[in-house]
Amino acid sequence: MSAVRVRFAPSPTGYLHVGGARTALFNWLFAKHHSGVFVLRIEDTDAARSTEAATQVILDALEYLGLDWDEGPGRGGDYGPYYQSQRLDLYQKYAAKLMELGRAYECYCTPEELDQRRQEQIKQGKDTRYDGRCRHLSDQERLDLKAQGRVPVIRFASLEEGETPVEDLVRGTVTFDNVTQVDDFVIFKSDGMPTYNFAVVVDDALMKITHVIRGEDHLSNTPKQIQIYEALGFEVPKFAHIPMILGPDKSLLSKRHGATSVTQFYEEGYLASAMVNYLSLLGWGYDDSQTIFSVDELTEKFSLERVSKNPAVFDIQKLEWMNGVYIRELALPELYDVALPYWQKANLLPAEVSPAIKEYALRVLGELQTRLKLVADVIELGQYFFIDDYPYQPDIVRKILTKPQTEDVLNYVHDVIKDAPQLDEEYLKPQFKIGLEKFGIKMGELIQPIRVALTGTNVSPGIYDVLELLGKERVLARIERTLTMLREEELI
RNA sequence: GCCCCCAUCGUCUAGUGGCCAAGGACAUCGCCCUCUCACGGCGAAGACAGGGGUUCAAAUCCCCUUGGGGGUACCA
């Protein structure tokens, strides 16, 4: 087989949807697996909806995921340009060729007329298809129509009998009836731009694409495209239609289900490695016991034969879990690199971080690491490590710091800390135990109040770790601050 | 309306006629660890949509029904 060439062809009308990202990933994996070429092409023929900003967003999203392309925007390549809007001359050329061949013709029907006829067909229980009335217009008729101010579209003259089989690598052969399923569809709009079904064929053929891997939503359009390939004498590529991604209610995954744009996941602190791993499992599976795959493993193991046929529900909880798995696998300096921007954005750390503070932040991350699902969690979970005016959670304070012995306990701990040669478990635990007997309480009843006093919440890393990280000075100040707060609020 | 695709635990899936009284992962629940929360360990519950065939044997093949998804544009 000749070298594999695949492509991802997003239309820049918004953000990169996770479904699109998954399609890009499968193409990328397939290319890498076969040492082939991954082409990126921007399908911006819909001038009204396409924007440059949206293109950049998609490029950024792909880069974040690590899905680098071999040919395309910013990379060049021998089959450019890679923006459809810059390939108009090519589409015109091949449309003209089809007309010469008698496989395309001008159509002067208006959208209104078309719609009316379509409604009539539905009412009669028939297939909705163009009736072909402009297919054999005489020159005079054409002139008359034009004189009425009508601007024509160009339609493909489709086959009027037989069937068009689609050989699909994941679904097998799917056969479509030419008469009822492939009508004379528009290939050039009246605004002078080609339609998707036409441009995609010209581009894929000219770019020498060998495998078209795309969403199942394109399956029904494939016979139309195949007829164009054949009419133009192009070699028909192999097709693989991968299942759609659904929301929890089984409808197509969309914004109303929550985050769907890759950019958004990036901003919320999902690691590319986790995104890629999770996305790979949507519609593909390897064996019965493995769910964690490195990119290298995916590249090695990916195959279209193992792509599933049924649609997959996007499970954000599993993605979160997986992100946690990858966060735990990071070395601390790596975690620091991804966490730092979040802390800076929340004003917990300065733009310029001194070596000492970095050293401290690294230790904080060591404690936080197993507790993170999203990198962004470092803000919520770690703020009290960086600021002294951390907020107290009112309900927690009320629940834990309003016991009769609270004040005595805090004072006791304050004294212990003040005289402590070092703040580690080895020294402190025996001291705390003395307090336990003195107040007739359990360890938890001593530690929880300290925790709330030092952090403002009842959730934190182990208390001895917190104590050690904070250091004597800050611990004493915080206990004092808490005592003051309690008195001011008249809680003790 | 018409056409196409699909159908295993709540979810992602393993399963390609006997190895399946259906395996794994997430989620859920319980226990252990324990100063809280995580992490980790152990365990529980949980599915072949329904009905007909074919076969010695069906989750696996065929048909029907039902359900879900997609297409049916001068969107891509």
Side-chain angles (χ1 to χ4, degrees), chain A residues 212-471:
Chain A
V212 173
I213 303 168
R214 69 216 321 186
E216 197 205 315
D217 48 339
H218 291 284
L219 182 56
S220 296
N221 283 324
T222 308
K224 296 181 180 176
Q225 295 166 17
I226 289 178
Q227 286 201 19
I228 293 186
Y229 277 104
E230 290 175 342
L232 250 16
F234 288 142
E235 188 178 339
V236 181
K238 300 247 185 291
F239 292 99
H241 289 93
I242 62 183
M244 311 276 26
I245 296 179
L246 275 25
D249 63 353
K250 304 281 178 114
S251 69
L252 218 49
L253 186 66
S254 70
K255 282 194 187 109
R256 64 193 170 79
H257 294 114
T260 54
S261 100
V262 172
T263 306
Q264 208 170 336
F265 285 108
Y266 165 71
E267 285 168 354
E268 287 176 12
Y270 285 90
L271 265 23
S273 49
M275 286 300 293
V276 164
N277 192 158
Y278 179 70
L279 253 23
S280 76
L281 261 22
L282 248 30
W284 177 84
Y286 185 63
D287 63 20
D288 60 348
S289 59
Q290 189 174 2
T291 47
I292 299 297
F293 294 89
S294 69
V295 173
D296 286 345
E297 281 178 299
L298 289 174
T299 301
E300 180 203 327
K301 291 171 172 164
F302 184 81
S303 71
L304 292 174
E305 292 76 60
R306 293 194 68 88
V307 170
S308 126
K309 290 197 265 273
N310 36 344
V313 172
F314 190 83
D315 182 1
I316 188 75
Q317 281 185 312
K318 190 161 184 173
L319 207 211
E320 280 184 4
W321 163 78
M322 197 170 274
N323 202 52
V325 169
Y326 279 92
I327 285 177
R328 273 170 251 134
E329 279 183 2
L330 291 180
L332 253 21
E334 295 175 316
L335 181 55
Y336 174 80
D337 287 340
V338 291
L340 181 61
Y342 289 92
W343 275 333
Q344 288 172 325
K345 203 173 169 192
N347 290 319
L348 295 174
L349 281 180
E352 294 292 325
V353 181
S354 69
I357 291 180
K358 175 174 177 179
E359 155 72 24
Y360 174 69
L362 247 14
R363 290 170 64 203
V364 169
L365 285 174
E367 296 305 331
L368 258 29
Q369 192 167 27
T370 59
R371 297 167 169 84
L372 302 172
K373 274 198 159 66
L374 311 182
V375 180
D377 291 343
V378 295
I379 297 173
E380 272 296 306
L381 299 181
Q383 64 168 340
Y384 54 81
F385 282 114
F386 300 101
I387 54 173
D388 292 320
D389 57 345
Y390 51 92
Y392 292 99
Q393 283 183 24
D395 52 327
I396 303 294
V397 168
R398 205 164 282 280
K399 187 174 155 202
I400 295 178
L401 292 181
T402 55
K403 301 275 166 56
Q405 77 276 15
T406 295
E407 189 169 9
D408 291 339
V409 167
L410 290 180
N411 278 322
Y412 173 78
V413 172
H414 185 275
D415 291 343
V416 168
I417 301 287
K418 193 166 74 178
D419 298 332
Q422 76 264 356
L423 299 191
D424 58 17
E425 182 168 358
E426 194 190 344
Y427 173 79
L428 292 173
K429 197 165 188 176
Q431 297 295 319
F432 287 172
K433 280 194 170 155
I434 294 171
L436 259 36
E437 283 180 36
K438 190 169 167 181
F439 300 112
I441 57 177
K442 295 183 174 175
M443 194 55 110
E445 295 172 282
L446 178 114
I447 284 179
Q448 279 302 74
I450 308 176
R451 172 170 283 118
V452 178
L454 299 181
T455 70
T457 86
N458 61 343
V459 173
S460 85
I463 198 67
Y464 300 107
D465 297 315
V466 173
L467 252 10
E468 231 174 329
L469 270 168
L470 254 21

